[in-house]
Every structure is written in structure tokens, then in C-alpha cells.
Amino acid sequence: MGVEAETGVLSRERLTELVSRAKGSGKRVVFANGAFDLLHTGHVRYLEAARKEGDWLAVGVNSDRSVRAAKGEGRPIVPEGERAEIVAALRCVDAVVLFDEDSPAGLLFALQPDVHAKGTDYRVETVPERALVAAYGGKTVIVGDPKDHATTDLIDRIRKTERAAR
């Protein structure tokens, strides 16, 4: 079974195998991560730009617990399994894995992708995992359009629309 034959939401172990196989066949593997709560155009542009950095894109989706830890009570809006399935359905994404840690460092260490892609809310020097990625010979890149879209803003717009309708 080729790397292309198995995609979607995978276990960490299976993703590690597929990344190894992809790298072994000469593909440049890119890893991106995020909560992806209420998927919006900023998320899509980030993932499409990440995919352009290589041949095969793996995406880490934060678990409900880790989103709550980062964003507070009431988040995420969409449960982890649904968020992962939606991200996996995007044409630019080859595989998705859920992760429960507060940082993708463990996944980066296990997968050792050629490229770690982060969004424009970072600069390369502010990416917490940049030293880890550099230590195994990987590259950290900043991709996507300016951070003009945010799930928090979308939630606020929905709430305002709801209040105005009352």
C-alpha cells in the first residue's frame, strides 16, 4: 500500500509509519498544527500554503482538552473528532492526527518532518519548537496570509448576529 492509498485521521503510530515511508520515497514532508475550531478561510490558506512547502502534508489537530487549556472554557465549539475529519477532507492535507499535548513538540520529535509550518501569528524566531526542528535538520517556515481571520472573531460575530435577531 502506497503512502497515497491511506489518508485521513490516523493514529500517531500509523502516521509515523507513513511519514517514514514518504520520506523514504523522497517526498518532502511538511507538518502543520492547530485547533481548527470553526474552520475558516485563514485556516484553509494556512494549510494550502503549508502544503506548497513540500510534497506531503501531515496536520496535528489539538484535542478538546488541549484547546480548552489554550483558549479557555467554552472552547472548542466543534468536538475534536469532527475537527480532525473536516481538516482531513481538505484536498491539500494528506493525513491528520489528534494530539493531546499542549505543544506539538512530541509529534515533531517522532515524525521529524522536513518542514514545520506555522501561521503568520508567529515569526520563525518565536516558534517554540524551532530549536527542536533545527536539531534534527528540519526547517521552520511561516506560511499563510496575515492573521485577519480568527475563530474568536467568528464566534463574536455569531453572538452579535444572534443578539441583533432577538
Side-chain angles (χ1 to χ4, degrees):
M1 180 181 288
V3 173
E4 293 80 10
E6 184 178 347
T7 59
V9 183
L10 306 173
S11 69
R12 187 177 295 226
E13 296 75 21
R14 186 64 183 142
L15 179 59
T16 302
E17 291 170 13
L18 290 181
V19 165
S20 179
R21 188 178 299 166
K23 289 174 76 174
S25 68
K27 292 188 187 299
R28 184 171 166 91
V29 174
V30 181
F31 177 82
N33 65 280
F36 304 104
D37 195 13
L38 295 182
L39 195 70
H40 55 69
T41 192
H43 292 134
V44 173
R45 290 173 183 168
Y46 162 57
L47 293 173
E48 287 177 337
R51 180 65 162 78
K52 289 177 182 172
E53 293 291 326
D55 307 306
W56 204 82
L57 176 61
V59 180
V61 174
N62 290 83
S63 70
D64 290 348
R65 188 219 55 83
S66 66
V67 172
R68 217 170 1 269
K71 311 256 185 208
E73 281 304 315
R75 297 286 301 277
I77 301 296
V78 178
E80 62 190 36
E82 294 177 23
R83 291 184 287 114
E85 184 178 342
I86 291 166
V87 170
L90 295 173
R91 184 176 41 238
C92 60
V93 175
D94 292 292
V96 170
V97 66
L98 283 164
F99 71 102
D100 194 46
E101 301 86 356
D102 294 333
S103 160
L107 265 174
L108 286 164
F109 183 76
L111 300 175
Q112 298 196 3
D114 300 293
V115 179
H116 178 211
K118 293 297 281 184
T120 57
D121 45 339
Y122 288 90
R123 293 184 327 277
V124 170
E125 49 284 348
T126 65
V127 174
E129 303 82 17
R130 121 182 102 53
L132 167 68
V133 173
Y136 69 72
K139 177 180 174 185
T140 299
V141 298
I142 304 302
V143 298
D145 61 352
K147 185 92 174 175
D148 294 334
H149 310 89
T151 299
T152 302
D153 296 340
L154 186 54
I155 291 168
D156 289 343
R157 280 191 8 227
I158 292 168
R159 287 183 177 142
K160 285 178 187 170
T161 303
E162 190 177 81
R163 281 193 294 271
R166 289 184 196 161

